[in-house]
Amino acid sequence: MSAQFPVARPRRLRRTPALRRLAAETRLAPADLVLPMFVKEGIGEPAPIASMPGVVQHTRDSLRKAAHEAVDAGVGGLILFGIPAVKDAVGSGADDPEGIVQTAVRDLKADLGDAAVVMTDLCLDEFTDHGHCGILTERGEIDNDATLERYASIARAQAAAGVDVVAPSGMMDGQVAAIRAALDDSGHPELPVLAYSAKYASAFYGPFRDAAECAPVFGDRSTHQQDPANSDESLREVFLDLEEGADMVMVKPAGPYLDVVRRVRDAVDVPVVAYQVSGEYAMIEAAAGKGWIDRERAIDESLIAIRRAGADIVLTYWATEAATRLTR
Ligand code: PBG
């Protein structure tokens, strides 16, 4: 009789929480998570970001406190975004030794030592008055090669401040090579580069542009960021960055591009990083705020899905919360 029933019974391994945990194919650990943090020059109180409930623009002090909390929760790294008090056409605040990012790096390295990896986003859009990721020509187009010189200078400034990893996010052609050369020539051959290699021109960055106050005042980023229709192109970008000296590569956003994460993971032998961006965060928070989804389950599912797709490291605004949940 019983022969007419299925012999293989996958449900056997789903019967108890302990069995499911033992049989799980993918695990997420606090050390896999990196917390993106915003720090703003010259503010007296942390400033909430309306489109990212629970995320703030930090003061220098609140940044230190939040960084301690993240490290205590076991988070593997932090990545800093700075918002300067003054912006100009060339983004002078970005490579100023006293600029907000350099100051914050010195604060965090003094506080935390090597307890967590301190990374910096390396770009110009937070620092330019026009909100673009580079220097503009008279016609208002981004001048790729003039921008590379700026990126090289920012890399030197961030390295001098003591950062552990620089993460160029501007998607300029040749940016990794320019930054690698700048680091090597300034006595930082040991400093790794995490390249935002496959970075899409995405609507999911919307809330970030409020947080980092970097929405372009005209035009958009589709001449340098990737077209969401493409995935072969991601591999081309990844291989170029590796040839130029990238030590880790990133896919961004994460959730809508899990296929790209998997393709990159299968194609390379360096750590693959995925960035769960501001819009992915905002969507879950908003739906949960309305009572339409179970917030914690949705967060945890979104993160394990990114790991399952092949990301070794996940950047997420929920890093501290998720790490706390993982260890309790
Ligand atoms: C550029 C940068 C952006 C993000 C990270 N680095 C914005 C952009 O390209 O417009 C977006 C991150 C997010 O949405 O969470 N410096």
Side-chain angles (χ1 to χ4, degrees):
M1 256 333 143
S2 63
Q4 74 192 70
F5 294 110
V7 178
R9 288 182 178 268
R11 286 187 56 197
R12 284 182 192 127
L13 293 181
R14 299 180 192 139
R15 194 171 54 83
T16 67
L19 272 168
R20 293 195 292 274
R21 186 178 62 208
L22 189 67
E25 295 174 37
T26 309
R27 292 181 202 283
L28 184 64
D32 305 328
L33 302 174
V34 172
L35 177 65
M37 306 179 87
F38 303 102
V39 57
K40 184 167 175 178
E41 191 171 27
I43 55 172
E45 292 293 325
I49 300 157
S51 51
M52 300 180 76
V55 178
V56 300
Q57 294 177 327
H58 282 292
T59 66
R60 278 176 67 183
D61 279 346
S62 73
L63 181 83
R64 299 169 91 141
K65 187 162 166 284
H68 272 288
E69 286 165 10
V71 170
D72 287 346
V75 163
L78 313 169
I79 182 163
L80 292 180
F81 295 89
I83 304 116
V86 180
K87 304 188 184 214
D88 61 24
V90 296
S92 303
D95 54 341
D96 181 344
E98 300 307 318
I100 184 63
V101 171
Q102 282 67 254
T103 305
V105 166
R106 286 192 297 265
D107 285 346
L108 294 185
K109 289 307 292 180
D111 282 9
L112 304 172
D114 287 331
V117 175
V118 176
M119 311 187 189
T120 41
D121 185 77
L122 197 170
C123 196
L124 276 169
D125 57 337
E126 294 92 357
F127 297 91
T128 53
D129 52 11
H130 44 70
H132 283 288
C133 300
I135 302 293
L136 301 182
T137 63
E138 276 169 22
R139 286 167 47 214
E141 289 172 354
I142 295 180
D143 183 336
N144 192 90
D145 295 6
T147 299
L148 295 185
E149 288 176 29
R150 297 289 298 128
Y151 287 1
S153 177
I154 300 168
R156 286 190 288 266
Q158 293 179 345
V163 77
D164 296 312
V165 175
V166 295
S169 65
M171 289 295 277
M172 292 301 124
D173 291 338
Q175 63 181 14
V176 173
I179 288 164
R180 183 72 267 155
L183 293 172
D184 292 350
D185 294 348
S186 60
H188 299 284
E190 77 294 347
L191 211 73
V193 175
L194 160 57
Y196 285 69
S197 301
K199 179 172 175 183
Y200 286 86
S202 174
F204 294 102
Y205 307 149
F208 175 93
R209 292 177 187 173
D210 294 339
E213 301 176 17
C214 65
V217 295
F218 63 89
D220 60 28
R221 307 208 203 289
S222 47
T223 62
H224 49 105
Q225 298 180 348
Q226 279 182 234
D227 184 337
N230 300 350
S231 98
D232 292 347
E233 188 187 358
S234 280
L235 295 185
R236 202 148 66 228
E237 287 279 8
V238 161
F239 287 124
L240 278 171
D241 284 351
L242 291 174
E243 276 167 31
E244 291 179 28
D247 302 282
M248 300 186 270
V249 294
M250 191 193 295
V251 176
K252 176 185 171 193
Y257 297 89
L258 293 181
D259 58 323
V260 179
V261 173
R262 170 49 58 190
R263 283 191 74 181
V264 172
R265 173 65 291 163
D266 288 344
V268 305
D269 57 6
V270 297
V272 174
V273 182
Y275 194 151
Q276 183 180 54
V277 301
S278 58
E280 299 175 75
Y281 177 91
M283 286 192 299
I284 290 180
E285 289 288 351
K290 287 194 176 283
W292 291 347
I293 52 172
D294 178 329
R295 181 177 173 281
E296 293 190 3
R297 284 188 59 203
I299 292 170
D300 293 351
E301 184 176 334
S302 71
L303 293 171
I304 202 74
I306 296 166
R307 279 281 286 149
R308 188 199 62 234
D312 303 293
I313 299 168
V314 183
L315 271 58
T316 173
Y317 298 97
W318 288 303
T320 304
E321 176 185 330
T324 304
R325 205 150 45 238
L326 284 165
T327 43
R328 84 179 167 209

